[in-house]
């Protein structure tokens, strides 16, 4: 929620600043704000500037979509994450875990692991007790679970 509030505040400030610049520009129509003569003299610079602007726009749009959480399914469950952490206590190399409940359909478990971690021990723990403990923690005993395991390079 904090990230969304920050995006809203920055957007509001940028809109107010833009409207202020437009208001100042209306008072001084004869003053040049930006000198674009470089782009007029050098034809090769126009496609590069356009490509850079498109690249920046795509990067910012992707960041906004990810920050707003569009495309994510389900809701995070802190109890499930806590229970998964308890079940995997003592396993070397586990860096991040998260549990997401997707409606009444399924459970999504994400685990990020360092390369030095014991993968066999982690899989044995997941098969033996961890997934069933998480299901019990979120009160969904028969729900299918999908586990995504990511082993980092460094």
């Amino acid at each position: 929620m904090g990230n969304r509030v920050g995006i809203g505040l920055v957007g509001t400030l940028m809109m107010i600043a833009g409207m202020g610049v437009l208001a100042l520009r209306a008072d001084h129509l004869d003053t040049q704000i930006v000198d674009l003569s470089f782009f007029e003299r050098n034809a090769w610079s126009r496609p590069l500037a356009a490509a850079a602007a498109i690249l920046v726009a795509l990067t910012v749009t992707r960041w906004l979509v990810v920050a707003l959480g569009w495309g994510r399914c389900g809701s995070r469950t802190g109890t499930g994450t806590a229970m998964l952490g308890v079940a995997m206590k003592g396993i070397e190399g586990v860096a991040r875990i998260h549990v997401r409940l997707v409606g009444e359909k399924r459970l999504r478990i994400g685990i990020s692991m360092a390369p030095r971690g014991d993968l066999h021990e982690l899989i044995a723990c997941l098969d033996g007790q961890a997934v069933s403990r998480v299901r019990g923690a979120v009160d969904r005993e028969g729900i299918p679970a999908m586990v995504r395991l990511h082993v980092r390079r460094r």
Side-chain angles (χ1 to χ4, degrees):
M1 186 66 180
N3 200 7
R4 294 177 186 160
V5 170
I7 291 171
L9 287 174
V10 168
T12 303
L13 288 174
M14 290 177 69
M15 185 177 66
I16 291 170
M19 290 173 24
V21 167
L22 286 176
L24 288 174
R25 177 67 177 151
D27 294 339
H28 306 285
L29 290 175
D30 55 338
T31 306
Q32 186 176 10
I33 295 175
V34 178
D35 182 24
L36 298 176
S37 62
F38 175 79
F39 294 106
E40 291 174 3
R41 288 190 311 260
N42 302 311
W44 59 268
S45 63
R46 285 176 249 163
L48 286 177
I54 290 171
L55 184 66
V56 167
L58 288 175
T59 303
V60 169
T61 303
R62 183 190 179 283
W63 172 78
L64 180 64
V65 166
V66 169
L68 290 175
W70 292 337
R72 290 186 184 163
C73 297
S75 59
R76 287 187 180 175
T77 168
T79 341
T81 304
M83 188 55 67
L84 184 63
V86 168
M88 294 190 322
K89 185 175 158 183
I91 297 177
E92 184 72 27
V94 176
R96 266 183 18 185
I97 56 173
H98 66 351
V99 176
R100 192 176 287 274
L101 190 60
V102 182
E104 299 293 321
K105 299 179 195 173
R106 69 176 178 240
L107 193 63
R108 291 175 123 182
I109 298 173
I111 302 170
S112 179
M113 192 167 183
R116 70 182 187 290
D118 189 4
L119 191 60
H120 296 293
E121 185 181 0
L122 176 71
I123 292 173
C125 178
L126 285 171
D127 280 344
Q129 63 184 3
V131 176
S132 60
R133 280 189 179 184
V134 171
R135 284 181 183 140
V138 296
D139 294 329
R140 307 284 193 284
E141 290 299 329
I143 195 169
M146 179 177 70
V147 178
R148 289 188 179 184
L149 177 62
H150 174 74
V151 179
R152 296 183 304 169
R153 292 183 185 171
R154 293 179 236 181

Short mmCIF file of all heavy atoms in Angstrom, two decimals, residues 113-150:
data_model
loop_
_atom_site.label_atom_id
_atom_site.label_comp_id
_atom_site.label_asym_id
_atom_site.label_seq_id
_atom_site.Cartn_x
_atom_site.Cartn_y
_atom_site.Cartn_z
N MET A 113 16.34 -19.54 -3.10
CA MET A 113 17.39 -20.23 -2.37
C MET A 113 18.76 -19.83 -2.89
O MET A 113 18.96 -19.63 -4.09
CB MET A 113 17.18 -21.74 -2.54
CG MET A 113 17.99 -22.58 -1.63
SD MET A 113 17.35 -24.24 -1.70
CE MET A 113 18.39 -24.98 -0.50
N ALA A 114 19.71 -19.73 -1.99
CA ALA A 114 21.09 -19.44 -2.36
C ALA A 114 21.72 -20.69 -2.97
O ALA A 114 21.30 -21.81 -2.67
CB ALA A 114 21.88 -19.00 -1.13
N PRO A 115 22.75 -20.54 -3.80
CA PRO A 115 23.36 -21.71 -4.45
C PRO A 115 24.05 -22.65 -3.47
O PRO A 115 24.20 -23.83 -3.76
CB PRO A 115 24.36 -21.11 -5.44
CG PRO A 115 24.58 -19.72 -4.99
CD PRO A 115 23.36 -19.29 -4.26
N ARG A 116 24.42 -22.15 -2.31
CA ARG A 116 25.10 -23.01 -1.34
C ARG A 116 24.12 -23.86 -0.53
O ARG A 116 24.52 -24.70 0.25
CB ARG A 116 25.94 -22.17 -0.39
CG ARG A 116 25.10 -21.34 0.56
CD ARG A 116 25.93 -20.47 1.47
NE ARG A 116 25.13 -19.81 2.46
CZ ARG A 116 24.26 -18.84 2.27
NH1 ARG A 116 24.05 -18.39 1.04
NH2 ARG A 116 23.58 -18.30 3.26
N GLY A 117 22.83 -23.63 -0.70
CA GLY A 117 21.80 -24.31 0.09
C GLY A 117 21.67 -25.79 -0.28
O GLY A 117 22.08 -26.23 -1.34
N ASP A 118 21.09 -26.53 0.64
CA ASP A 118 20.89 -27.96 0.45
C ASP A 118 19.53 -28.19 -0.20
O ASP A 118 18.48 -28.18 0.45
CB ASP A 118 20.97 -28.67 1.81
CG ASP A 118 20.99 -30.18 1.65
OD1 ASP A 118 21.02 -30.67 0.50
OD2 ASP A 118 20.97 -30.86 2.69
N LEU A 119 19.55 -28.39 -1.51
CA LEU A 119 18.32 -28.55 -2.29
C LEU A 119 17.59 -29.83 -1.94
O LEU A 119 16.36 -29.85 -1.85
CB LEU A 119 18.67 -28.51 -3.78
CG LEU A 119 17.52 -28.40 -4.76
CD1 LEU A 119 16.73 -27.14 -4.50
CD2 LEU A 119 18.03 -28.42 -6.18
N HIS A 120 18.32 -30.92 -1.71
CA HIS A 120 17.69 -32.21 -1.39
C HIS A 120 16.94 -32.14 -0.06
O HIS A 120 15.83 -32.66 0.07
CB HIS A 120 18.74 -33.32 -1.36
CG HIS A 120 19.38 -33.55 -2.68
ND1 HIS A 120 18.69 -34.05 -3.76
CD2 HIS A 120 20.65 -33.33 -3.12
CE1 HIS A 120 19.49 -34.13 -4.80
NE2 HIS A 120 20.70 -33.70 -4.44
N GLU A 121 17.53 -31.48 0.91
CA GLU A 121 16.87 -31.33 2.22
C GLU A 121 15.61 -30.47 2.10
O GLU A 121 14.59 -30.76 2.72
CB GLU A 121 17.85 -30.71 3.22
CG GLU A 121 17.30 -30.63 4.62
CD GLU A 121 18.28 -29.99 5.59
OE1 GLU A 121 19.40 -29.61 5.17
OE2 GLU A 121 17.91 -29.85 6.76
N LEU A 122 15.68 -29.42 1.28
CA LEU A 122 14.52 -28.55 1.07
C LEU A 122 13.37 -29.31 0.43
O LEU A 122 12.23 -29.23 0.87
CB LEU A 122 14.90 -27.35 0.22
CG LEU A 122 13.74 -26.42 -0.15
CD1 LEU A 122 13.27 -25.65 1.07
CD2 LEU A 122 14.16 -25.49 -1.25
N ILE A 123 13.67 -30.08 -0.60
CA ILE A 123 12.62 -30.84 -1.30
C ILE A 123 12.03 -31.90 -0.38
O ILE A 123 10.81 -32.12 -0.36
CB ILE A 123 13.17 -31.43 -2.61
CG1 ILE A 123 13.47 -30.29 -3.59
CG2 ILE A 123 12.18 -32.41 -3.21
CD1 ILE A 123 14.17 -30.72 -4.85
N ALA A 124 12.86 -32.54 0.40
CA ALA A 124 12.36 -33.54 1.34
C ALA A 124 11.44 -32.90 2.38
O ALA A 124 10.41 -33.46 2.75
CB ALA A 124 13.52 -34.25 2.03
N CYS A 125 11.81 -31.71 2.84
CA CYS A 125 10.98 -30.99 3.81
C CYS A 125 9.65 -30.59 3.20
O CYS A 125 8.60 -30.71 3.84
CB CYS A 125 11.73 -29.77 4.33
SG CYS A 125 10.78 -28.77 5.49
N LEU A 126 9.67 -30.12 1.94
CA LEU A 126 8.44 -29.74 1.26
C LEU A 126 7.53 -30.94 1.05
O LEU A 126 6.32 -30.87 1.26
CB LEU A 126 8.75 -29.07 -0.08
CG LEU A 126 9.28 -27.65 -0.02
CD1 LEU A 126 9.75 -27.21 -1.39
CD2 LEU A 126 8.23 -26.71 0.51
N ASP A 127 8.11 -32.07 0.63
CA ASP A 127 7.32 -33.30 0.43
C ASP A 127 6.76 -33.84 1.73
O ASP A 127 5.62 -34.29 1.79
CB ASP A 127 8.18 -34.38 -0.23
CG ASP A 127 8.32 -34.18 -1.73
OD1 ASP A 127 7.52 -33.41 -2.29
OD2 ASP A 127 9.23 -34.79 -2.32
N GLY A 128 7.57 -33.78 2.77
CA GLY A 128 7.18 -34.41 4.02
C GLY A 128 6.18 -33.64 4.85
O GLY A 128 5.13 -34.16 5.21
N GLN A 129 6.47 -32.38 5.17
CA GLN A 129 5.64 -31.70 6.14
C GLN A 129 5.28 -30.26 5.81
O GLN A 129 4.24 -29.78 6.22
CB GLN A 129 6.35 -31.72 7.48
CG GLN A 129 7.65 -30.97 7.46
CD GLN A 129 8.40 -31.07 8.77
OE1 GLN A 129 7.96 -31.74 9.68
NE2 GLN A 129 9.52 -30.39 8.86
N ALA A 130 6.11 -29.55 5.09
CA ALA A 130 5.94 -28.11 4.96
C ALA A 130 4.64 -27.73 4.25
O ALA A 130 3.89 -26.88 4.73
CB ALA A 130 7.14 -27.50 4.22
N VAL A 131 4.34 -28.35 3.12
CA VAL A 131 3.15 -27.98 2.36
C VAL A 131 1.89 -28.32 3.14
O VAL A 131 0.93 -27.54 3.18
CB VAL A 131 3.16 -28.66 0.97
CG1 VAL A 131 1.88 -28.35 0.22
CG2 VAL A 131 4.36 -28.18 0.15
N SER A 132 1.87 -29.47 3.81
CA SER A 132 0.68 -29.83 4.60
C SER A 132 0.51 -28.88 5.78
O SER A 132 -0.62 -28.55 6.15
CB SER A 132 0.77 -31.28 5.07
OG SER A 132 1.91 -31.46 5.88
N ARG A 133 1.60 -28.40 6.38
CA ARG A 133 1.49 -27.43 7.46
C ARG A 133 0.93 -26.10 6.97
O ARG A 133 0.12 -25.48 7.64
CB ARG A 133 2.86 -27.17 8.09
CG ARG A 133 3.28 -28.22 9.06
CD ARG A 133 4.52 -27.73 9.76
NE ARG A 133 4.96 -28.69 10.76
CZ ARG A 133 5.98 -28.48 11.56
NH1 ARG A 133 6.66 -27.36 11.49
NH2 ARG A 133 6.32 -29.39 12.44
N VAL A 134 1.37 -25.68 5.80
CA VAL A 134 0.86 -24.43 5.23
C VAL A 134 -0.62 -24.57 4.91
O VAL A 134 -1.42 -23.67 5.19
CB VAL A 134 1.66 -24.03 3.97
CG1 VAL A 134 1.02 -22.86 3.26
CG2 VAL A 134 3.09 -23.70 4.34
N ARG A 135 -1.03 -25.69 4.34
CA ARG A 135 -2.46 -25.92 4.07
C ARG A 135 -3.27 -25.85 5.36
O ARG A 135 -4.36 -25.28 5.37
CB ARG A 135 -2.65 -27.28 3.41
CG ARG A 135 -2.25 -27.32 1.97
CD ARG A 135 -2.51 -28.70 1.41
NE ARG A 135 -2.08 -28.79 0.04
CZ ARG A 135 -1.47 -29.85 -0.48
NH1 ARG A 135 -1.22 -30.91 0.26
NH2 ARG A 135 -1.11 -29.85 -1.75
N GLY A 136 -2.76 -26.45 6.42
CA GLY A 136 -3.45 -26.40 7.70
C GLY A 136 -3.51 -24.99 8.26
O GLY A 136 -4.50 -24.60 8.89
N ALA A 137 -2.46 -24.20 8.06
CA ALA A 137 -2.42 -22.84 8.59
C ALA A 137 -3.43 -21.93 7.91
O ALA A 137 -3.96 -21.00 8.53
CB ALA A 137 -1.02 -22.26 8.45
N VAL A 138 -3.72 -22.18 6.64
CA VAL A 138 -4.68 -21.34 5.92
C VAL A 138 -6.06 -21.99 5.84
O VAL A 138 -6.93 -21.51 5.13
CB VAL A 138 -4.16 -20.98 4.50
CG1 VAL A 138 -2.91 -20.15 4.58
CG2 VAL A 138 -3.95 -22.21 3.65
N ASP A 139 -6.26 -23.09 6.57
CA ASP A 139 -7.56 -23.80 6.64
C ASP A 139 -8.04 -24.29 5.28
O ASP A 139 -9.21 -24.18 4.96
CB ASP A 139 -8.63 -22.91 7.29
CG ASP A 139 -8.33 -22.63 8.75
OD1 ASP A 139 -7.72 -23.50 9.40
OD2 ASP A 139 -8.71 -21.55 9.23
N ARG A 140 -7.15 -24.82 4.50
CA ARG A 140 -7.49 -25.39 3.19
C ARG A 140 -6.76 -26.73 3.06
O ARG A 140 -5.73 -26.81 2.42
CB ARG A 140 -7.07 -24.47 2.05
CG ARG A 140 -7.54 -23.05 2.11
CD ARG A 140 -9.00 -22.93 1.73
NE ARG A 140 -9.41 -21.57 1.48
CZ ARG A 140 -9.65 -20.65 2.40
NH1 ARG A 140 -9.46 -20.93 3.66
NH2 ARG A 140 -10.07 -19.45 2.08
N GLU A 141 -7.30 -27.76 3.64
CA GLU A 141 -6.60 -29.05 3.71
C GLU A 141 -6.43 -29.72 2.35
O GLU A 141 -5.39 -30.24 2.04
CB GLU A 141 -7.34 -29.99 4.68
CG GLU A 141 -7.22 -29.58 6.12
CD GLU A 141 -5.79 -29.57 6.62
OE1 GLU A 141 -4.95 -30.36 6.15
OE2 GLU A 141 -5.50 -28.72 7.49
N GLY A 142 -7.43 -29.73 1.50
CA GLY A 142 -7.34 -30.48 0.25
C GLY A 142 -6.94 -29.65 -0.95
O GLY A 142 -6.98 -30.14 -2.09
N ILE A 143 -6.54 -28.43 -0.76
CA ILE A 143 -6.26 -27.52 -1.87
C ILE A 143 -4.93 -27.89 -2.54
O ILE A 143 -3.96 -28.22 -1.87
CB ILE A 143 -6.25 -26.06 -1.35
CG1 ILE A 143 -6.32 -25.07 -2.50
CG2 ILE A 143 -5.05 -25.79 -0.50
CD1 ILE A 143 -6.59 -23.65 -2.03
N PRO A 144 -4.88 -27.88 -3.87
CA PRO A 144 -3.60 -28.15 -4.54
C PRO A 144 -2.62 -27.00 -4.34
O PRO A 144 -3.02 -25.84 -4.27
CB PRO A 144 -3.97 -28.30 -6.02
CG PRO A 144 -5.32 -27.72 -6.16
CD PRO A 144 -5.97 -27.71 -4.83
N ALA A 145 -1.35 -27.34 -4.26
CA ALA A 145 -0.32 -26.34 -4.04
C ALA A 145 0.69 -26.37 -5.18
O ALA A 145 1.08 -27.44 -5.64
CB ALA A 145 0.39 -26.60 -2.72
N MET A 146 1.09 -25.19 -5.62
CA MET A 146 2.11 -25.08 -6.64
C MET A 146 3.33 -24.42 -6.00
O MET A 146 3.22 -23.32 -5.44
CB MET A 146 1.63 -24.23 -7.82
CG MET A 146 2.69 -24.08 -8.89
SD MET A 146 2.14 -23.17 -10.33
CE MET A 146 1.99 -21.53 -9.69
N VAL A 147 4.46 -25.10 -6.05
CA VAL A 147 5.68 -24.59 -5.43
C VAL A 147 6.63 -24.15 -6.53
O VAL A 147 6.94 -24.92 -7.44
CB VAL A 147 6.35 -25.66 -4.55
CG1 VAL A 147 7.64 -25.13 -3.95
CG2 VAL A 147 5.40 -26.12 -3.47
N ARG A 148 7.09 -22.91 -6.44
CA ARG A 148 8.10 -22.40 -7.37
C ARG A 148 9.39 -22.21 -6.60
O ARG A 148 9.43 -21.47 -5.63
CB ARG A 148 7.65 -21.07 -7.97
CG ARG A 148 6.53 -21.22 -8.94
CD ARG A 148 6.27 -19.92 -9.63
NE ARG A 148 5.18 -20.12 -10.57
CZ ARG A 148 4.76 -19.20 -11.38
NH1 ARG A 148 5.29 -18.01 -11.37
NH2 ARG A 148 3.77 -19.45 -12.21
N LEU A 149 10.41 -22.87 -7.07
CA LEU A 149 11.71 -22.82 -6.41
C LEU A 149 12.69 -22.11 -7.33
O LEU A 149 12.86 -22.50 -8.48
CB LEU A 149 12.19 -24.23 -6.09
CG LEU A 149 13.58 -24.37 -5.47
CD1 LEU A 149 13.61 -23.67 -4.12
CD2 LEU A 149 13.92 -25.83 -5.31
N HIS A 150 13.32 -21.08 -6.81
CA HIS A 150 14.29 -20.31 -7.58
C HIS A 150 15.64 -20.40 -6.87
O HIS A 150 15.76 -20.03 -5.71
CB HIS A 150 13.87 -18.85 -7.69
CG HIS A 150 14.88 -17.97 -8.34
ND1 HIS A 150 15.11 -18.01 -9.70
CD2 HIS A 150 15.74 -17.06 -7.84
CE1 HIS A 150 16.08 -17.15 -10.00
NE2 HIS A 150 16.46 -16.55 -8.88
#
